[in-house]
Structures are given as C-alpha cells and as structure tokens.
C-alpha cells in the first residue's frame, strides 16, 4: 500500500487526472438498480429511491442487445415499453431529481446470427493465426451446468476496432438524446492480445489502448449533447480514471488501487436487510452503494424494508458532511486518537481544515470506544453522531459505544447538528449471539483458508458477500475453511447455520461440500 501511494502521487503529476471531482456519478452516493423494469414503472421506482435518499436509477436488462442476444445493440426493449415511453419515463425521473443511467454490456457475440455473419465478424479479437478468440456462451434459461453443456462458442469483440467504435459512439449518443444521463459499461475491454489487423494497433495495445480511445470518444461525443454525461466501467484499473472516477466493481479496503487513488470510488451492494456492512464500508471508504434488493422490488420493499431508515440516515450524513466526507482529503488514521475494536477513516475538508472520522464496528456485539481527540488538537467543538441517537456535543476524553454492525461519526463540522435520527425496528432476538458473521474480509481474522476460500461476491450468481471458493478458485476449487475456536454456552439451545449451497457429484467421495462441528481439544467430529 505504501508503494501504491507513491505510484498514485507520481501518476497525478502526469496530467492524467483532473481534480476536484464534479461529475454527478461521482458525487451521488447510491444508485437503485432496476432489472427489466417496465418503462412506465420507472417514475415509481425513482420516487421511492428519492424518498430513501437515492438520487440515481441504473437500468439493467433494458435493451434488445447485451448478454441475452449477445450483440452490441442498445435500443430500448419493446417488451418493456416503446421508445416514447422510455423517453417520457426519464423526463419524469428528472422531475423527481433522479438521474438515469443504463448498463451496457459488450459480451462475446453469437456466431449463429445474421448480425455476426454480415458485420460483427470484422471486429472479432484474433490470435496470431487469425482465429477468433471464443468462450463458452450459455443458453438461457438453462441451469448453470446444463447451460454450459448445451453452450456454444461465442466470439470476443474489440471496441477498439474503428468500425465497432463508431457504432458504439453513435448508439450511446442516441441514448443521450433520449435523456440518458450516463452509461455503466460492463465486460467492456476485450482480450489482452488482439492480432486483428483491422484494429490498426500492435496486439498489445489493440484492446487496452483501443478500448480507452473508444470510451474517450463516447464521452466527448455525448457531452456535446449533454454536458453532464458520465460513464463508469467495471475495470479495477488506473487508466480509466482519466475518464471516470467511479467503478461498478466491488473492491474491499485491501485494494491497492484505492490506496493509490483515494478519490476513486468502488461499489458495495445492498441486497437485503442484512446489508449494514456494505452501507458502513461505503461511508468509511468513500465508495458508492448499488441498491439491488434480492426480491427485485424498489428500495423500501420487502427485502429492504427494515434497513431503509438506516440507509437514508447514512446517505444524509455523507451529503451533509460533504465538505469532509466527499471533497475532503483522506488522512492518516492516527489523526484521531481512538481506542477500541472499531475501524475508522479520517477526512479533512480542503478549505476549512475541519476533520471528520467515520468509525465502523465490524462485529456483531457492541464495542466500547475511547476518543481522546483529533491530532493536532484545535479549539473546535467535536460532535458525535450515530444513526440511532442523533448528534451530541462531546468533551474529550470521551467514551461511547457503537452497536454491533453500526457506524458512528466524530466531526468538527457544525452542520452535523442537522443530521437525522434513524428509527430502527426493535430487535426481538436479544437472547441470541452471533458466532461468525462472514460479511467482509475483516471477518476472516483467525480463520485458516485453503483452496481459494474468501468472502466475496460474484455478479449474477452471488449478489452479496459470503464465504465461498467460487469467486477466487472457480467451480473446480477444493479446499477448507477452518474457523477459530469458539464456545457454545450452556444457555443456548441450538445453533443456526446459514449455508449458501453447493453440491458434489459423489455423495460419499472426497468432493463433498460438508460442514463439520469439531471438538477443539480432541479433534472429534461432533456433527457433520
């Protein structure tokens, strides 16, 4: 991380990145993802999002091309509504103060359609023998394994090819003419080496440099229509930062790119009422939130009904304290003298110099905190805000408690007096105890992992962070995850384990996915 900071400081001197950040996609802390929502319903989604403090909709599975048809076509899906209904819905969202962006996929193309035979084959990534690069495409709606078995070879396309680049620029510019405020590009960059002579670059530059040039052309062309047009990609890579300071991929605080460029914003995902870790981490790491409820409903519906007040309060805190939390410089953690089990980040406002510390309790149990003040001390009052209790003035040294999986803010900014109180539903299960809550990489402290086990998500398959081996090791991974020793007190009658799933072809073979409860002293298996 230290070397990453040196690298980031050097690259910032090369004129690649402009600061401060002003694009709407960077400044908006959260967006509501809408999957195949009929266009007439979008204003309702926007209204509920705005009530929760969310000021952007991102439309997924809205177009005729993309992953399903495997062609780069970005026309509104007639199954969701007409083009006029699409345009009218966007205008209504704008009237509610909500921006609208769309997800654009550039997946491998099907060879078994007319578009590929007549045009797209010219843009195919090729190896040094002129053979197109392919990967297995899945027939939908087939189960994952059955889909691979019935799959086809699909061809990677290079957006750096002049012909495809012109098509993409023209199509995205047309969308902006309909009112679209931004585009989130997924699976955009092609194969690392492309020997297709039509690209006009050496193979090592064809995909990376060509893809960046395509994004640059899209951005410049669309801003002639809409000056506030913004884009993002899912590439965890420094070079797109010249074009966008946000990323749709998840990146934990161990990511070196975040250390090199503290203004870079990755994304955390909220799927249900158990998303406190994602909300807290986004605030502490200055990241964005993707609101993608597991039940496919707008925020505040069944899957997120219990967490919406907390979400609204945290988003309000980031907006109100924007001088430090958004525009401020991320400074060393020792700028705040804090003792306790919390993790924290400290931000300093660029003009006033006022400091704000965001503290997150990553554990399930409440954590006592001792705060001795900011360093160096100044003659400024310090305010403590927590979502459940609101804002109070404190004198140092101070002691307070952060509930399990919750956040607290210490700030010198006077505007903290305006922060809200979030009324949370009462917890009726106070007689329980969480032994392991594996929601982030920090929760693996003391665990012994082999074979690719990690806490991670997989877009389209595993929407929320969980302990799995698929994200890192793939479907063929084998390994173990051994927990630290824990005690089950006599007062508890049962243990509940939330298991995501998985299975083996051999019921009694070495490939079994099994959970064992083991006696820590004798090694005896108590339950399997």
């Amino acid at each position: 991380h230290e070397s990453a900071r040196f690298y980031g400081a050097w690259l910032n001197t090369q004129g690649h990145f402009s600061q401060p950040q002003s694009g709407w996609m960077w400044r908006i802390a959260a967006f509501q993802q809408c999957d195949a929502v009929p266009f007439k319903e979008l204003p309702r989604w926007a209204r509920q999002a705005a009530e929760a403090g969310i000021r952007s909709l991102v439309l997924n599975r809205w177009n005729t091309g993309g992953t399903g048809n495997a062609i780069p076509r970005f026309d509104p899906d007639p199954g969701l509504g007409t083009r006029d209904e699409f345009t009218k819905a966007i205008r209504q969202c704008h009237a509610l103060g909500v921006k609208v962006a769309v997800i654009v996929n550039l997946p491998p193309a099907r060879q078994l359609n007319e578009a590929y035979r007549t045009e797209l084959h010219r843009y195919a990534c090729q190896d040094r023998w002129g053979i197109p690069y392919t990967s297995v495409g899945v027939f939908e709606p087939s189960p994952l394994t059955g889909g691979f078995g019935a799959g086809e070879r699909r061809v990677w396309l290079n957006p750096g090819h002049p012909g495809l680049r012109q098509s993409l620029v023209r199509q995205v510019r047309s969308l902006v003419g309909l009112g679209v405020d931004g585009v989130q590009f997924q699976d955009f960059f092609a194969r690392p080496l492309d020997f297709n002579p039509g690209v006009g670059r050496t193979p090592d530059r064809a995909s990376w440099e060509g893809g960046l040039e395509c994004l640059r052309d899209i951005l410049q062309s669309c801003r002639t229509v809409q000056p506030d047009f913004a884009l993002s990609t899912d590439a965890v890579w420094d070079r797109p930062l010249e074009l966008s300071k946000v990323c749709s991929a998840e990146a934990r605080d161990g990511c070196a790119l975040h250390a090199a460029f503290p203004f870079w914003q990755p994304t955390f995902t909220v799927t249900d009422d158990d998303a406190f870790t994602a909300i807290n981490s986004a605030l502490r790491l200055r990241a964005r939130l993707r609101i993608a409820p597991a039940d496919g409903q707008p925020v505040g519906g069944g899957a997120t009904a219990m967490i919406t007040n907390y979400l609204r309060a945290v988003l309000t805190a980031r907006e109100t304290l924007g001088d430090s939390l958004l525009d401020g410089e991320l400074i060393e953690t020792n700028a705040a003298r804090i003792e306790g089990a919390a993790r924290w980040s400290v931000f300093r406002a660029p003009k006033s110099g006022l400091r704000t510390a965001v503290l997150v309790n990553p554990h399930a149990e409440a954590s006592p905190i001792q705060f001795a003040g900011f360093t160096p001390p100044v003659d400024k009052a310090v305010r403590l805000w927590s979502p459940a209790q609101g804002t109070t003035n404190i004198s140092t040294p101070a002691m307070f408690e952060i509930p399990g999986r919750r956040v607290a803010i210490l700030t010198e900014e006077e505007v903290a007096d305006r922060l809200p109180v979030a009324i949370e539903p009462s917890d009726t299960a106070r007689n329980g105890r969480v032994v392991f809550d594996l929601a982030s990489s920090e929760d693996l402290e003391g665990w012994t992992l082999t074979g690719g086990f990690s806490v991670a998500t997989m877009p389209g398959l595993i929407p929320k962070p969980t302990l799995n081996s698929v994200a890192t090791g793939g479907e063929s991974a084998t390994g173990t995850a051994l927990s630290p020793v824990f005690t089950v007190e006599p007062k508890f009658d049962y243990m509940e384990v939330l298991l995501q799933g998985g299975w083996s072809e051999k019921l009694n073979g070495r490939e079994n996915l099994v959970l064992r409860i083991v006696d820590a002293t004798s090694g005896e298996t108590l339950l399997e």
Side-chain angles (χ1 to χ4, degrees):
H1 282 183
E2 186 65 19
S3 63
R5 283 188 282 271
F6 276 115
Y7 174 77
W10 167 78
L11 197 58
N12 274 320
T13 67
Q14 307 304 300
H16 288 282
F17 310 132
S18 60
Q19 296 188 53
Q21 292 75 33
S22 58
W24 71 264
M25 197 174 280
W26 189 86
R27 302 199 70 84
I28 288 179
F31 61 89
Q32 165 82 66
Q33 182 165 308
C34 306
D35 290 328
V37 174
F39 302 145
K40 289 183 177 180
E41 292 291 311
L42 290 177
R44 178 174 67 88
W45 283 63
R47 187 176 301 106
Q48 292 189 227
E51 291 173 356
I54 302 164
R55 308 189 188 283
S56 173
L57 300 184
V58 174
L59 312 187
N60 188 34
R61 291 162 43 210
W62 61 276
N63 60 316
T64 55
T67 303
N69 294 331
I71 55 175
R73 294 290 182 269
F74 312 136
D75 295 317
D77 185 350
L80 301 176
T82 66
R83 194 178 183 88
D84 288 341
E85 289 171 340
F86 182 73
T87 305
K88 181 180 179 181
I90 293 176
R91 286 200 302 266
Q92 291 175 325
C93 292
H94 288 167
L96 295 167
V98 176
K99 299 281 190 179
V100 178
V102 297
I103 293 178
V104 166
N105 295 90
L106 196 64
R110 294 193 65 189
Q111 301 178 71
L112 306 177
N113 59 39
E114 187 65 21
Y116 182 82
R117 288 190 290 269
T118 59
E119 177 191 5
L120 298 179
H121 70 276
R122 296 196 292 268
Y123 316 139
C125 295
Q126 298 176 9
D127 64 19
R128 55 182 171 166
W129 295 281
I131 306 300
Y133 289 109
T134 62
S135 61
V136 175
V138 179
F139 285 119
E140 297 178 353
S142 171
L144 184 63
T145 51
F148 278 122
E152 60 179 305
R153 305 302 301 187
R154 293 186 175 179
V155 177
W156 287 88
L157 304 179
N158 187 350
H161 191 290
L164 183 55
R165 183 169 73 242
Q166 292 171 11
S167 173
L168 297 178
V169 171
R170 183 176 61 254
Q171 292 188 72
V172 178
R173 183 185 171 100
S174 175
L175 290 175
V176 175
L178 300 180
V180 170
D181 298 289
V183 173
Q184 181 174 298
F185 289 98
Q186 303 282 107
D187 304 318
F188 183 78
F189 291 96
R191 300 289 297 187
L193 287 174
D194 183 7
F195 291 80
N196 186 332
V199 180
R201 302 175 191 268
T202 55
D204 57 326
R205 292 174 176 264
S207 294
W208 304 122
E209 196 174 77
L212 287 173
E213 184 173 318
C214 180
L215 291 177
R216 191 176 296 110
D217 287 352
I218 289 173
L219 190 63
Q220 292 174 351
S221 178
C222 291
R223 283 185 172 173
T224 63
V225 180
Q226 169 54 271
D228 291 333
F229 176 81
L231 60 81
S232 70
T233 75
D234 57 353
V236 184
W237 181 28
D238 60 343
R239 298 295 162 165
L241 293 178
E242 177 188 352
L243 307 171
S244 176
K245 310 296 191 297
V246 298
C247 176
S248 61
E250 299 219 2
R252 301 297 166 180
D253 56 351
C255 179
L257 190 61
H258 198 273
F261 307 101
F263 57 81
W264 176 70
Q265 293 196 58
T267 300
F268 290 83
T269 300
V270 172
T271 60
D272 54 32
D273 288 327
D274 191 34
F276 291 100
T277 296
I279 296 172
N280 299 339
S281 297
L283 184 66
R284 181 172 73 87
L285 299 174
R286 193 157 56 192
R288 299 192 306 157
L289 284 170
R290 173 192 292 109
I291 314 301
D295 59 0
Q297 296 301 309
V299 63
T304 54
M306 307 287 280
I307 205 172
T308 299
N309 284 342
Y310 185 82
L311 171 65
R312 182 188 300 111
V314 170
L315 293 177
T316 302
R318 173 170 143 152
E319 186 172 331
T320 303
L321 301 174
D323 283 351
S324 54
L325 293 184
L326 188 58
D327 296 315
E329 173 192 9
L330 184 63
I331 58 180
E332 297 294 333
T333 56
N334 59 14
R337 291 175 289 166
I338 298 171
E339 293 184 11
R343 295 179 174 89
W344 65 89
S345 298
V346 186
F347 301 86
R348 181 171 53 210
K351 295 182 179 179
S352 65
L354 299 179
R355 293 159 293 187
T356 298
V358 177
L359 295 81
V360 172
N361 178 8
H363 306 291
E365 305 297 327
S367 175
I369 301 296
Q370 298 182 35
F371 174 62
F374 288 104
T375 304
V378 295
D379 187 21
K380 288 290 296 183
V382 176
R383 293 161 174 81
L384 168 67
W385 177 79
S386 64
Q389 298 178 348
T391 304
T392 56
N393 291 334
I394 62 172
S395 300
T396 55
M399 294 191 64
F400 57 93
E401 192 175 78
I402 304 178
R405 295 294 187 199
R406 298 300 189 272
V407 70
I409 290 178
L410 294 162
T411 183
E412 296 172 328
E413 292 200 52
E414 295 180 4
V415 291
D417 294 335
R418 303 203 302 260
L419 294 181
V421 175
I423 300 175
E424 293 189 49
S426 60
D427 186 359
T428 59
R430 299 304 300 170
N431 60 334
R433 179 170 73 88
V434 177
V435 182
F436 299 114
D437 186 4
L438 305 180
S440 69
S441 57
E442 293 95 342
D443 300 321
L444 293 175
E445 183 177 352
W447 283 70
T448 302
L449 307 175
T450 68
F453 273 107
S454 67
V455 172
T457 64
M458 281 193 67
L461 184 62
I462 306 174
K464 61 184 294 186
T466 183
L467 179 67
N468 68 81
S469 61
V470 179
T472 301
E475 289 283 4
S476 61
T478 61
T480 59
L482 178 67
S483 80
V485 172
F486 63 95
T487 301
V488 180
E489 293 86 351
K491 65 178 181 179
F492 293 119
D493 299 317
Y494 65 90
M495 176 187 294
E496 181 181 55
V497 179
L498 302 181
L499 189 66
Q500 175 143 318
W503 60 89
S504 168
E505 294 297 327
K506 298 182 180 180
L507 296 180
N508 297 304
R510 293 176 58 192
E511 295 80 6
N512 278 352
L513 173 64
V514 356
L515 174 73
R516 291 190 179 95
I517 307 298
V518 178
D519 186 286
T521 303
S522 66
E524 176 189 0
T525 297
L526 306 176
L527 182 67
E528 177 174 308

